[in-house]
Amino acid sequence: MRVLEVQGLHVRYGKRAAVHDVSLGVARGELLSLVGGSGAGKSTIAHAVAGLVAPSGGAILVNGVDLLAAPRRAQRALRLPLQLILQDPYSSLPNHLRVRSIVAEPLLVHRLGDRARRVAAALDAVGLPPREFAERYPHQLSGGQRQRVALARALVTDPAVLIADEPTAMLDATLRAGMTDLLKRLADERGLAVLHITHDLAMARRISDRIAVMHRGAIVEQGPAHQVLIAPEHPYTHALITAATRHQGGNRDQVRPAGDVPAARAIAS
Ligand SMILES: Nc1ncnc2c1ncn2[C@@H]1O[C@H](COP(=O)(O)OP(=O)(O)OP(=O)(O)O)[C@@H](O)[C@H]1O
């Protein structure tokens, strides 16, 4: 069963439809990348799943339970298996709190105990040794370390689903691969279901099991990463691959899946 299942989701901002009839799902241990250009509606999906915007239609199932059909009061507890990290590690961490208090926040919200142990385990999981980092304030951290603190805060409740909305957008190029590889490792090693939002197809190629391509509020294509990148069916996916290829200096192998380079060459030639 998929831990997160979005069915026929519609979201409007006033009269404007931002997300139209979107269905997607993520299973345990799977990393799905939602890719698309600016304004496609990717963040709106993340925000709807996290309860930050109210959908106008559809269903969001977590472990088979429809969040939108549940009474408002029950929704917070039903969202416990879901955590979200956002793109900006500068605005997402409260500057006046130490790392250990920031990471512990969700435990307070959900009234969960065993805080010191859970905080230390979460910091370890993101590669920030607690002895070195627990007492620091955000201004004593680099951008990459801040994003790891945000990730530790998301992991501290031991969620089943992590939604990562452009988690590397504000990081410099040298730190991006480390962050996305960490997401992949969390999916592989902890069985986390990861919904990874990005406009970077080369990054999606690196870590995704499946890819969903979004354009103008709708998903135009989704499937195994391999299939979507080697044999794209929708013209918009073709256009994204071409644009990413140009960005990579014309090397299609940077965008195509690593395991099937000969097939990619055959198609490209
Ligand atoms: N709070 C809001 N009020 C009104 N319109 C909004 C709001 N948030 C997003 N939109 C609009 O909804 C559409 C989808 O935006 P969204 O941020 O979901 O796209 P995105 O694919 O995440 O883009 P980006 O990669 O630039 O973040 C856009 O046209 C955007 O302008």
Side-chain angles (χ1 to χ4, degrees), residues 113-190:
D114 201 10
R115 286 181 200 146
R117 189 198 57 79
R118 283 173 187 256
V119 167
L123 286 170
D124 270 331
V126 300
L128 297 177
R131 272 169 190 248
E132 199 181 327
F133 289 94
E135 300 304 319
R136 293 198 194 179
Y137 287 95
H139 74 265
Q140 296 169 315
L141 302 171
S142 69
Q145 289 165 347
R146 282 170 184 247
Q147 196 56 309
R148 281 169 192 258
V149 170
L151 184 55
R153 177 174 58 184
L155 295 176
V156 77
T157 53
D158 207 9
V161 183
L162 176 73
I163 303 165
D165 188 358
E166 302 254 14
T168 59
M170 309 279 284
L171 304 184
D172 70 45
T174 54
L175 295 173
R176 283 186 196 154
M179 185 70 193
T180 44
D181 290 352
L182 176 57
L183 293 179
K184 176 67 176 152
R185 213 165 56 236
L186 291 169
D188 289 344
E189 291 174 6
R190 296 167 70 125

Side-chain angles (χ1 to χ4, degrees), residues 42-48 50-52 83-93 143-144 146-154 162-171 179 183 195-197:
K42 306 180 298 297
S43 295
T44 299
I45 292 177
H47 293 168
L52 304 175
Q83 286 290 338
L84 172 72
I85 59 166
L86 302 171
Q87 57 178 257
D88 185 356
Y90 290 90
S91 65
S92 68
L93 303 183
R146 282 170 184 247
Q147 196 56 309
R148 281 169 192 258
V149 170
L151 184 55
R153 177 174 58 184
L162 176 73
I163 303 165
D165 188 358
E166 302 254 14
T168 59
M170 309 279 284
L171 304 184
M179 185 70 193
L183 293 179
L195 176 58
H196 169 239
I197 293 175

